[in-house]
Amino acid sequence: MIQLFNTVYLLKRLSKYIKKINIKKKTTIKDIANVLNISAAAVSKALNDDSRISKKTKKAVKQVAKNLNYQPNHLASALRKGKSNLVGVIVPRTNSNFFSSVIQNIEQVLNKEGYNIIITQSNESYKKECDNIDTLLFTQVDGIIASMANETTNLEYYEKVKAKGIPLILFDRGENDLNVDYIGINDYDSSHVIVEHLVNQGRKRIAHIGGYKRTRIFNNRIRGYIDALKKHNLPLDNELLIESSLTTEDGKEKMAQLLKLKNRPDAVYVASDYAALGALQVLNEHQIKIPEDIALVGFGDEPFTAMVTPTISSINQHSAEIGKQAALTFLSYTKKKTIEQTLNKIILDAELIVRESSNIIN
Amino acid sequence: MIQLFNTVYLLKRLSKYIKKINIKKKTTIKDIANVLNISAAAVSKALNDDSRISKKTKKAVKQVAKNLNYQPNHLASALRKGKSNLVGVIVPRTNSNFFSSVIQNIEQVLNKEGYNIIITQSNESYKKECDNIDTLLFTQVDGIIASMANETTNLEYYEKVKAKGIPLILFDRGENDLNVDYIGINDYDSSHVIVEHLVNQGRKRIAHIGGYKRTRIFNNRIRGYIDALKKHNLPLDNELLIESSLTTEDGKEKMAQLLKLKNRPDAVYVASDYAALGALQVLNEHQIKIPEDIALVGFGDEPFTAMVTPTISSINQHSAEIGKQAALTFLSYTKKKTIEQTLNKIILDAELIVRESSNIIN
DNA sequence: AACTTTTGGTTAAACGTTTAACTAAAACTA
DNA sequence: TAGTTTTAGTTAAACGTTTAACCAAAAGTT
């Protein structure tokens, strides 16, 4: 018995055992226990570095675990512990640089703490978003980090998440009424920064192709735009303020609409880079000089804004920071025993990146 | 007893029960069983539409489940059934249109069959890719669909997956040596199509900024390029064939290198759109006329190729089809009892999208 | 030496399902 | 009517961990 953990002896037992279990596929904690003639509980504790297990045993357990190619069964431990160490992420889509960067940073922070993430896409559809939530709840995620679809106005499904006591963190597209944590940039101020910049460039008729008013962030950008005009004593012209779905296609359409005006704008602030790209294409087609005839500013700092001709000025939304903060906010709940969420906002200052499309003086 | 499932009676039992369980958080199958005075097993069967349960009972069970807001515990059923209904996806990154489209289509097909996916990114790093594999195995995924990182040459980790009997399906970036299923486009032929197109446009000195030879797909593109030159009786000039990491940055560098040649090429075929974009920027900076002085063709049909000036000709990789086929291939294994994977390739024909950057005659 | 504390475990139950094996009652059969 | 089949369940074990409660032996204390 004294020589039980002696290497030579151990190897013998091991090889015997390996033959025996060769038929079944996966090594479990019990297999390790059998090899070492100790209880499964001891193995579990050894693997989790429990203080009640001797160093010698821990070492032996880990050695055998390695030799048997042991892979812990996450499902079993998750079931027993009542937590899955999985966090659900819902985004409208992953193929925008903003969202993919947020996701990357969420992952980075959470992986360090032993959490993994499940990414789902809503494609801006309310129905898909509801399905995603069901999927995530079904998978027993320990938390959900989400940016809401454009379509979403009914918050019932998100209330369901809250009701289950699962931490919910929203970013970018949020909703105050849910009274949960939110991380985003200061949309209202961003509009001010943009208008101010355009005024400084000598612009007098600034149009805004904005998002749907019902989405809070776009509403804030619109409010910011209106108030900033006021601040600079520019009159608000209703035909210069247009609501849009903000796709590239719709950006084209709305820009064409602006060009048809008798009194054209000399600058256009578009609430999304994708729509700004559409606007740019229309302007180029009409051989309108950018920024001399019409200056253009987008929103989101997508990489392509620096690729197109001319390059498009845009607002950097600090995607990395948003991702990190969202993950940290989730982690803060894992340390608490009772989950009592309240409206808790982290608002980052956005930053205007001036590029060719709005750089007139200089 | 006869009136046990009578609605009024049921509601009474229900409300009594709800009060009782109000303290504990989640409804289980046992709670439903208690309300109806039947066994948990019967509830499980009823929910899974087992033939041995009467219609009446099934209806009652589902009703109570709904009222108690029952959410099945995936971990428990996965543990018992020995399958998680989760499929892991590994991609170099999600913020490329190709990968995000593949993912979207994988998801679509698998969701219909009750599977969910876990997306992980390797960021082209071998170490991260190994971590991803461990993560996925740990989460007990039922299969892995992957596109390998640029760095990956050691296949040990993937062998581990195979050894565990977990179906492994590779796409785009694959490796014959693994002897598993692979879905991709015909890279060798694509090079032929591109060279032929450029020859038809009157080009005589065609350069190729290719990927690393060790990555199979890039090697195939290089081989295709060389053989196509031969076929059209064009001499192979070694200074026109450059290996690159294919990032935008490296595309710039390699294009600059080509411009320094005494005898410049009159066409450049770049093995990735991202690198082609870099090349385009350098050409624009040098005020070289595209396509008149130098024609340019990329690879991947990323959306930005249609956004930049001039628009870039590129190869459509059929991302949607690749995603669907990958998912279907995985599903085919779920119907088999023994997993015996062999090298099994699905090769799709790629398609050249001609845009301004290579459209000379016309 | 008699007690107490510490060390290093063991035992058994639990997490929430599923499922093989069993069974009582009802319905059919000859 | 006795035997067989069908229906509609029940019981109990199992999936692989974790953990509360327990305990024997060794070490420390007075």
Side-chain angles (χ1 to χ4, degrees):
Chain A
M1 259 315 192
I2 291 168
Q3 56 149 23
L4 186 54
F5 296 160
N6 165 289
T7 313
V8 179
Y9 179 79
L10 206 135
L11 279 174
K12 270 192 198 156
R13 278 193 70 88
L14 201 59
S15 66
K16 229 187 215 168
Y17 199 79
I18 288 181
K19 273 180 204 138
K20 218 164 114 196
I21 63 159
N22 228 0
I23 316 102
K24 36 177 292 193
K25 343 171 198 187
K26 287 181 183 174
T27 310
T28 74
I29 227 170
K30 279 185 188 166
D31 298 321
I32 301 176
N34 279 335
V35 173
L36 294 171
N37 246 357
I38 56 176
S39 70
V43 174
S44 170
K45 286 181 184 160
L47 291 172
N48 291 303
D49 270 328
D50 189 293
S51 65
R52 322 214 70 170
I53 303 294
S54 70
K55 268 148 260 150
K56 203 188 287 181
T57 306
K58 281 183 189 170
K59 202 178 153 194
V61 165
K62 285 172 188 172
Q63 185 59 245
V64 174
K66 204 172 176 185
N67 286 332
L68 290 182
N69 206 3
Y70 169 72
Q71 192 99 35
N73 186 323
H74 170 247
L75 296 171
S77 79
L79 175 61
R80 178 58 232 256
K81 294 201 285 193
K83 59 178 296 207
S84 65
N85 272 44
L86 249 32
V87 173
V89 177
I90 306 175
V91 290
R93 59 189 177 283
T94 64
N95 65 342
S96 111
N97 195 67
F98 173 71
F99 289 118
S100 97
S101 162
V102 171
I103 289 171
Q104 214 171 108
N105 283 278
I106 291 176
E107 201 183 3
Q108 211 172 83
V109 174
L110 291 187
N111 278 353
K112 269 186 211 139
E113 301 289 320
Y115 285 89
N116 284 112
I117 66 174
I118 299 187
I119 305 167
T120 62
Q121 304 176 240
S122 68
N123 293 319
E124 303 284 11
S125 142
Y126 173 64
K127 193 189 166 327
K128 188 84 202 300
E129 191 166 82
C130 293
D131 288 350
N132 286 161
I133 292 175
D134 275 339
T135 293
L136 293 177
L137 290 178
F138 175 69
T139 320
Q140 312 286 122
V141 293
D142 292 341
I144 292 182
I145 300 177
S147 190
M148 287 164 51
N150 247 331
E151 266 182 42
T152 304
T153 51
N154 186 340
L155 303 177
E156 199 183 306
Y157 253 78
Y158 280 103
E159 291 288 2
K160 209 164 118 181
V161 175
K162 263 189 80 176
K164 287 217 183 275
I166 293 169
L168 174 63
I169 289 104
L170 299 177
F171 69 91
D172 192 47
R173 314 268 195 81
E175 187 48 76
N176 288 345
D177 297 350
L178 269 170
N179 283 317
V180 296
D181 294 80
Y182 171 83
I183 294 104
I185 58 158
N186 197 326
D187 291 286
Y188 180 83
D189 278 5
S190 298
S191 287
H192 269 83
V193 171
I194 291 172
V195 169
E196 185 142 0
H197 162 67
L198 291 170
V199 167
N200 287 342
Q201 299 284 323
R203 301 292 133 156
K204 299 244 164 343
R205 269 182 73 71
I206 302 170
H208 179 44
I209 300 180
Y212 296 127
K213 266 195 203 123
R214 60 170 140 81
T215 309
R216 212 181 36 73
I217 58 168
F218 296 125
N219 192 24
N220 285 346
R221 291 180 201 175
I222 293 170
R223 286 196 307 108
Y225 161 76
I226 295 173
D227 289 355
L229 288 186
K230 240 179 249 165
K231 187 176 157 200
H232 293 281
N233 293 316
L234 294 176
L236 171 64
D237 189 338
N238 274 324
E239 59 184 15
L240 294 186
L241 175 54
I242 305 180
E243 249 185 289
S244 157
S245 69
L246 296 180
T247 61
T248 303
E249 210 41 53
D250 205 51
K252 279 186 179 181
E253 209 163 292
K254 297 305 191 283
M255 188 70 234
Q257 188 179 324
L258 285 174
L259 288 183
K260 281 193 203 110
L261 295 178
K262 264 159 289 175
N263 196 357
R264 280 184 183 174
D266 55 9
V268 182
Y269 153 34
V270 190
S272 141
D273 281 337
Y274 289 91
L277 176 71
L280 180 86
Q281 286 167 351
V282 169
L283 290 172
N284 277 340
E285 275 164 26
H286 284 73
Q287 316 233 357
I288 287 165
K289 273 191 219 138
I290 311 171
E292 294 79 1
D293 298 345
I294 294 183
L296 186 68
V297 177
F299 207 107
D301 200 29
E302 287 288 327
F304 67 76
T305 55
M307 298 176 178
V308 295
T309 315
T311 55
I312 306 175
S313 301
S314 194
I315 289 277
N316 175 358
Q317 287 183 92
H318 300 302
S319 49
E321 190 58 26
I322 289 180
K324 271 178 207 154
Q325 291 297 335
L328 290 173
T329 306
F330 162 75
L331 286 175
S332 75
Y333 283 106
T334 63
K335 273 132 203 167
K336 293 173 191 164
K337 37 229 82 190
T338 54
I339 311 257
E340 186 73 62
Q341 285 197 286
T342 55
L343 181 57
N344 189 3
K345 292 186 178 191
I346 301 178
I347 304 294
L348 308 173
D349 276 332
E351 173 191 12
L352 176 64
I353 314 288
V354 178
R355 297 202 178 84
E356 295 165 1
S357 71
S358 73
N359 200 4
I360 304 152
I361 306 166
N362 145 40
Chain B
M1 262 315 197
I2 290 168
Q3 55 147 22
L4 185 53
F5 297 159
N6 163 291
T7 313
V8 178
Y9 179 78
L10 205 135
L11 278 176
K12 269 192 199 154
R13 276 195 71 87
L14 200 60
S15 65
K16 228 186 214 165
Y17 199 78
I18 289 181
K19 272 180 205 137
K20 218 164 115 195
I21 63 159
N22 230 359
I23 315 99
K24 37 178 290 189
K25 342 165 194 192
K26 285 182 183 175
T27 310
T28 75
I29 226 171
K30 279 186 189 165
D31 298 321
I32 301 176
N34 279 336
V35 174
L36 294 170
N37 243 0
I38 58 178
S39 70
V43 174
S44 170
K45 287 180 183 162
L47 291 172
N48 290 303
D49 270 327
D50 188 292
S51 65
R52 323 213 71 168
I53 302 295
S54 69
K55 269 146 259 148
K56 203 187 288 181
T57 306
K58 281 183 189 170
K59 203 178 149 192
V61 165
K62 284 172 189 173
Q63 185 58 246
V64 174
K66 202 172 177 184
N67 287 332
L68 289 182
N69 205 4
Y70 169 71
Q71 193 99 35
N73 186 323
H74 169 247
L75 296 172
S77 81
L79 175 61
R80 177 60 233 251
K81 293 201 286 191
K83 58 178 295 204
S84 65
N85 273 43
L86 248 33
V87 173
V89 177
I90 306 175
V91 290
R93 58 186 179 283
T94 64
N95 65 342
S96 114
N97 196 67
F98 174 72
F99 289 118
S100 97
S101 163
V102 170
I103 289 172
Q104 212 170 110
N105 282 277
I106 291 176
E107 199 182 4
Q108 212 172 79
V109 174
L110 291 187
N111 278 353
K112 268 185 209 139
E113 301 290 320
Y115 285 89
N116 284 113
I117 67 175
I118 299 187
I119 306 166
T120 60
Q121 306 177 237
S122 69
N123 294 318
E124 303 284 11
S125 142
Y126 173 65
K127 193 189 165 329
K128 188 85 201 298
E129 192 167 81
C130 294
D131 288 350
N132 287 160
I133 293 175
D134 275 339
T135 293
L136 293 177
L137 290 178
F138 175 68
T139 320
Q140 311 287 121
V141 293
D142 292 341
I144 292 182
I145 300 176
S147 191
M148 286 163 52
N150 248 331
E151 268 183 38
T152 304
T153 52
N154 185 340
L155 303 177
E156 197 184 307
Y157 254 78
Y158 281 103
E159 291 288 0
K160 207 164 122 183
V161 175
K162 265 188 80 179
K164 288 217 182 277
I166 293 169
L168 173 63
I169 290 103
L170 299 177
F171 69 92
D172 192 48
R173 315 267 195 83
E175 187 47 72
N176 288 345
D177 298 348
L178 269 169
N179 283 315
V180 297
D181 294 80
Y182 171 82
I183 294 104
I185 59 158
N186 197 326
D187 291 285
Y188 180 82
D189 278 7
S190 299
S191 286
H192 270 84
V193 171
I194 290 172
V195 169
E196 185 142 3
H197 160 67
L198 291 170
V199 167
N200 287 341
Q201 300 282 324
R203 301 290 132 157
K204 301 246 171 326
R205 269 184 73 72
I206 303 170
H208 179 43
I209 300 179
Y212 296 126
K213 267 197 201 119
R214 59 172 140 80
T215 309
R216 214 182 35 71
I217 59 168
F218 296 124
N219 191 25
N220 285 345
R221 290 180 203 174
I222 293 169
R223 285 195 309 108
Y225 160 77
I226 294 173
D227 290 354
L229 288 187
K230 243 180 247 169
K231 187 176 157 199
H232 293 282
N233 294 316
L234 294 175
L236 171 63
D237 188 339
N238 275 324
E239 59 184 16
L240 294 185
L241 175 52
I242 305 181
E243 251 186 286
S244 156
S245 68
L246 296 179
T247 60
T248 303
E249 208 43 51
D250 205 52
K252 278 187 180 178
E253 209 161 293
K254 297 304 190 284
M255 188 70 233
Q257 188 179 324
L258 285 174
L259 288 183
K260 279 190 204 117
L261 295 178
K262 267 160 284 174
N263 196 358
R264 280 184 183 175
D266 55 9
V268 181
Y269 152 33
V270 189
S272 143
D273 281 338
Y274 289 91
L277 176 71
L280 181 86
Q281 288 168 350
V282 168
L283 290 172
N284 277 340
E285 276 164 26
H286 284 72
Q287 316 236 357
I288 288 165
K289 271 191 219 141
I290 313 172
E292 294 81 359
D293 297 344
I294 294 183
L296 187 68
V297 177
F299 208 108
D301 200 28
E302 288 287 327
F304 66 75
T305 55
M307 296 174 178
V308 293
T309 314
T311 55
I312 305 175
S313 301
S314 195
I315 290 277
N316 175 358
Q317 286 185 94
H318 301 302
S319 49
E321 191 58 24
I322 289 181
K324 272 179 205 153
Q325 292 296 337
L328 290 172
T329 305
F330 163 74
L331 287 175
S332 76
Y333 284 106
T334 64
K335 272 131 204 166
K336 292 171 191 163
K337 39 229 83 195
T338 55
I339 312 259
E340 186 72 61
Q341 284 196 288
T342 55
L343 181 58
N344 189 4
K345 292 185 177 191
I346 301 178
I347 303 295
L348 309 172
D349 276 332
E351 176 190 10
L352 176 66
I353 314 290
V354 178
R355 298 202 177 85
E356 296 165 359
S357 71
S358 72
N359 201 4
I360 304 152
I361 306 165
N362 145 38

